[in-house]
Amino acid sequence: MTDFALPAGQPAAPANRDIKVMALIGIAHGCSHFFQLVLPPLFPFLKDVFAVSYTQLGLVMTLFYVTSGVLQTPAGFLVDRVGARNVLIGGLAIFCTAILLYGLVPSFWMLIPVAILAGIGNSVFHPADFSILNASVDQKRLGRAYGTHTLGGNLGWALAPVLMASGAALFGWRAAPIIAALVGYAILAALLLNRDLLKEDAGAARREAAAKGQAQAALGPLLTMPVVMCFLYFLLLSFALIGVQNFLPATLDALYGTPLALATTALTAFLLGASVGVMVGGHVADKGVKLEVIVISGLLGAAAMMLLVANLNLPGFLLVGAVAGAGFLQGFTTPSRDLIVRGAAPKGASGRVFGFVYSGLDAGSALAPLAIGLLLDHGMPHAVLWFVAAMLALTTLTAVAIRKRSTLPAAA
């Protein structure tokens, strides 16, 4: 059995150059996450203006996520074919245009094709972002680069509901997405002006691999055991994250009668803890600690915290602390997780591999609400938190499997 190891990487690059690349990609990723939540805060306005139900509005978001999830792997192939930089810039341009159109649609039914267009734009970010970071950032800072990428996305999610609701209240619901789109276009301009900083991943090796044109050569990297295990890692992890992010307040209310304000505070603490954990985890991953040790210890620790909440009616400050601790420990594993995916990706295939494995998050996000909703509907709130803990623990098994089976050369 060989220990999981990362490649030697690129020659040392200046720190300030790496920081600029991290900032550009982190902001672009934050923009994509912000755009994902542009529409939901406007639902009360849209419901009245277009005389539709929340179910119909929910369908719009379902189509967005389905489109994005289905196209992430093809977007990864496109990254490996034409280059990550072009795909990222094109995807952001499409996404900005879709957000602009949200504010201009004359009827509800026009939201549907616009949401599909937005899903097309959203599909490119994970494969393109990671391919650029792999090629542009020095090996010794790659964990921090991945952490910055995740932090940018978390901040985008956190800011969208507040800013969109405030913008709609101040300027009207149509103006809010138009303003968001204009900010997105400014970020797009920054990428274009700094495009020379964004190196292509794998260079000639990528083009040679993509030029083979054979189905087996193209799909082969996705069918190896380490990459399949990475997909399962994301699928199982998404079950746990959806259980917390979407259902924690309802679960705590059903389990202990926890006041909504306290339950919401606990959820906020989880998200903030995860953001802090991401940045700390990036520094630790860059120190040479074994990646699978970070992942396994962090996820098992988070599972233990959730079991504590499931079995003890904790006082408010301890509840918030336990949930924040679970968030921190889960976030702590994120940079190491992404480095493991990088190590499992054959040379010249990082775009399609990252696109494929990250589609596991979309698949899990579509399936988990059904399972967790059934548990709550059948009066089993304890089981929801046990389910979250079990998914976190099962995720560690995929990390072990990747470690045992990963013999592929890592993406350059």
Side-chain angles (χ1 to χ4, degrees), residues 233-282:
Y233 183 115
F234 279 83
L235 180 70
L236 295 170
L237 181 64
S238 68
F239 286 158
L241 294 181
I242 289 295
V244 176
Q245 294 175 2
N246 290 21
F247 292 96
L248 183 65
T251 299
L252 291 175
D253 174 58
L255 189 54
Y256 301 121
T258 304
L260 179 60
L262 177 57
T264 303
T265 299
L267 177 56
T268 301
F270 179 89
L271 297 173
L272 291 175
S275 296
V276 175
V278 162
M279 298 311 296
V280 175

Side-chain angles (χ1 to χ4, degrees), residues 5-328:
L6 290 171
Q10 305 285 338
N16 59 345
R17 184 187 183 285
D18 283 357
I19 291 171
K20 289 178 182 177
V21 173
M22 292 181 205
L24 285 169
I25 298 302
I27 291 171
H29 191 222
C31 183
S32 78
H33 279 223
F34 188 101
F35 282 176
Q36 289 173 24
L37 296 184
V38 158
L39 216 52
L42 304 179
F43 278 0
F45 300 95
L46 299 175
K47 181 176 182 293
D48 293 337
V49 170
F50 294 134
V52 294
S53 67
Y54 283 118
T55 300
Q56 289 172 295
L57 292 170
L59 173 64
V60 174
M61 296 310 301
T62 296
L63 290 172
F64 166 80
Y65 283 113
V66 168
T67 302
S68 177
V70 168
L71 292 183
Q72 274 203 65
T73 301
F77 278 91
L78 191 62
V79 165
D80 292 336
R81 171 74 66 171
V82 304
R85 182 172 59 191
N86 293 331
V87 173
L88 176 61
I89 290 171
L92 181 55
I94 291 171
F95 213 170
C96 290
T97 301
I99 299 303
L100 181 69
L101 292 175
Y102 277 151
L104 301 176
V105 292
S107 67
F108 164 76
W109 296 109
M110 288 302 296
L111 284 175
I112 292 177
V114 174
I116 292 172
L117 183 67
I120 294 171
N122 187 61
S123 69
V124 310
F125 284 89
H126 286 135
D129 287 355
F130 283 111
S131 292
I132 289 171
L133 291 175
N134 289 343
S136 302
V137 176
D138 187 77
Q139 172 71 33
K140 64 185 180 183
R141 303 184 189 99
L142 204 51
R144 280 163 285 182
Y146 287 172
T148 302
H149 178 265
T150 299
L151 180 64
N154 289 349
L155 291 176
W157 274 339
L159 290 174
V162 175
L163 293 183
M164 291 305 299
S166 300
L170 290 173
F171 306 111
W173 76 266
R174 289 189 180 276
I178 292 174
I179 293 170
L182 294 177
V183 174
Y185 282 124
I187 294 170
L188 176 62
L191 291 178
L192 287 168
L193 290 172
N194 293 277
R195 60 184 292 123
D196 290 342
L197 290 174
L198 309 179
K199 293 183 179 180
E200 300 288 2
D201 184 37
R206 182 203 73 234
R207 291 188 291 272
E208 180 182 352
K212 291 180 180 178
Q214 300 175 2
Q216 184 176 1
L219 295 175
L222 308 186
L223 303 178
T224 59
M225 186 57 68
V227 173
V228 172
M229 287 295 105
C230 287
F231 175 86
L232 290 176
Y233 183 115
F234 279 83
L235 180 70
L236 295 170
L237 181 64
S238 68
F239 286 158
L241 294 181
I242 289 295
V244 176
Q245 294 175 2
N246 290 21
F247 292 96
L248 183 65
T251 299
L252 291 175
D253 174 58
L255 189 54
Y256 301 121
T258 304
L260 179 60
L262 177 57
T264 303
T265 299
L267 177 56
T268 301
F270 179 89
L271 297 173
L272 291 175
S275 296
V276 175
V278 162
M279 298 311 296
V280 175
H283 282 276
V284 174
D286 285 337
K287 297 298 183 182
V289 179
K290 288 185 177 180
L291 302 178
E292 68 274 11
V293 172
I294 296 174
V295 168
I296 292 169
S297 60
L299 292 181
L300 288 180
M305 290 291 184
M306 296 312 298
L307 288 177
L308 185 67
V309 174
N311 291 282
L312 295 175
N313 187 3
L314 299 170
F317 72 96
L318 289 179
L319 171 65
V320 172
V323 175
F328 175 87

Side-chain angles (χ1 to χ4, degrees), residues 370-395:
L370 300 175
I372 297 171
L374 285 172
L375 294 175
L376 287 174
D377 287 341
H378 285 80
M380 303 170 65
H382 277 96
V384 173
L385 297 178
W386 276 89
F387 176 81
V388 168
M391 292 301 104
L392 290 170
L394 285 173
T395 303

